[in-house]
Amino acid sequence: MTLSLTVSDEVRALAPGFRHLAIEAHGLVNGPSTDASSALLDEAARRLAVRLDGRAPHEDPHMAAWREVYTAFGSKPSRTRNSAEALAKRALSDAGLPRINLLVDLYNAISVAHVVPVGGEDLDRIRGGMRLVRATGDEDFVTVAGGEEAVEHPDAGEVIWRDEEGVTCRRWNWRQGPRTRLTEETVSGVFLLEGMAPMPLADMETAAAELAELLEKFSPGAQITTASR
């Protein structure tokens, strides 16, 4: 893999059961959501319903573990849900899952079907390597508020993903910044699957393999590498 991904000692001390898998892909083809990507999202919602068997998403053991970690760094998990729980809740609602663009639909489908946080970043927009750290509170998080660009700052101690330019995702995987998100112009990306014990590494590897297969299917000829961290 060409992208450096590191996890700070402070984060590992906070969540010793954390692990992540990264898929780096070059030669991607993105575009608007399609009937095929929409069907994948619908199927993911059906798989989720079978998996939960009537339980709420936060009752899944993996989501419960994420809630404990969110609480540990000072975030209220019922208000700022990890990305997988938020998507799962949306999938089970009348609104259903959003259709964003082809690549985002693919990784959202995997996130929902396997109940694991998955994110996607445009490699060409990342500055230097990416680091998972606890924030000082001085970092810049450039977002959009009311249609205008706005700069926020994470809370001190909050877990963030960041690169050399600033924060790319707040509260671990709660809110991604627009600077590095996958757009219809994206040709190179990194897809990050994040797990917390008790989710077995083998289950994460199964989810990653399924995502890699989808990327190969929808972007024939793409160069795809998977690495465990």
Side-chain angles (χ1 to χ4, degrees):
M1 295 190 62
T2 62
L3 179 68
S4 170
L5 288 164
T6 59
V7 179
S8 73
D9 291 341
E10 284 186 325
V11 171
R12 292 202 180 279
L14 176 75
F18 172 69
R19 57 177 66 94
H20 64 282
L21 294 174
I23 301 172
E24 187 171 306
H26 300 271
L28 293 169
V29 178
N30 202 8
S33 300
T34 65
D35 289 344
S37 69
S38 183
L40 285 170
L41 290 169
D42 290 338
E43 176 61 20
R46 287 190 287 269
R47 291 168 66 181
L48 173 70
V50 171
R51 181 189 185 108
L52 292 178
D53 192 24
R55 293 175 299 164
H58 70 266
E59 295 176 293
D60 177 86
H62 189 213
M63 295 298 92
W66 274 104
R67 282 192 164 217
E68 289 180 8
V69 172
Y70 266 52
T71 299
F73 68 77
S75 183
K76 294 182 178 179
S78 60
R79 289 181 53 195
T80 55
R81 296 176 176 87
N82 75 79
S83 64
E85 184 183 331
L87 276 176
K89 185 176 176 65
R90 181 80 180 266
L92 298 175
S93 72
D94 291 339
L97 288 166
R99 275 59 173 166
I100 308 297
N101 60 52
L102 180 60
L103 290 176
V104 175
D105 290 353
L106 297 186
Y107 79 69
N108 278 350
I110 295 302
S111 177
V112 169
H114 293 271
V115 196
V116 60
V118 184
E121 306 279 356
D122 189 320
L123 278 171
D124 293 327
R125 300 184 179 196
I126 295 171
R127 301 293 174 255
M130 290 183 62
R131 294 176 285 136
L132 187 67
V133 301
R134 300 197 70 173
T136 64
D138 297 326
E139 299 90 348
D140 287 343
F141 178 69
V142 181
T143 185
V144 176
E148 300 291 334
E149 184 176 288
V151 178
E152 298 177 355
H153 303 285
D155 299 326
E158 180 183 321
V159 177
I160 57 171
W161 278 104
R162 65 159 302 158
D163 64 3
E164 291 181 1
E165 190 168 320
V167 180
T168 58
C169 197
R170 284 198 59 189
R171 293 183 183 142
W172 211 308
N173 48 42
W174 166 65
R175 180 188 290 172
Q176 182 187 33
R179 172 170 60 88
T180 58
R181 67 187 175 192
L182 302 179
T183 69
E184 293 183 15
E185 289 72 45
T186 296
V187 294
S188 296
V190 61
F191 301 84
L192 193 64
L193 292 83
E194 300 182 291
M196 202 72 66
M199 187 177 197
L201 178 60
D203 288 359
M204 291 183 63
E205 290 172 338
T206 297
E210 187 176 336
L211 178 54
E213 288 175 5
L214 289 175
L215 293 172
E216 290 172 356
K217 177 181 178 181
F218 285 86
S219 294
Q223 296 80 50
I224 298 172
T225 306
T226 303
S228 176
R229 304 298 177 107

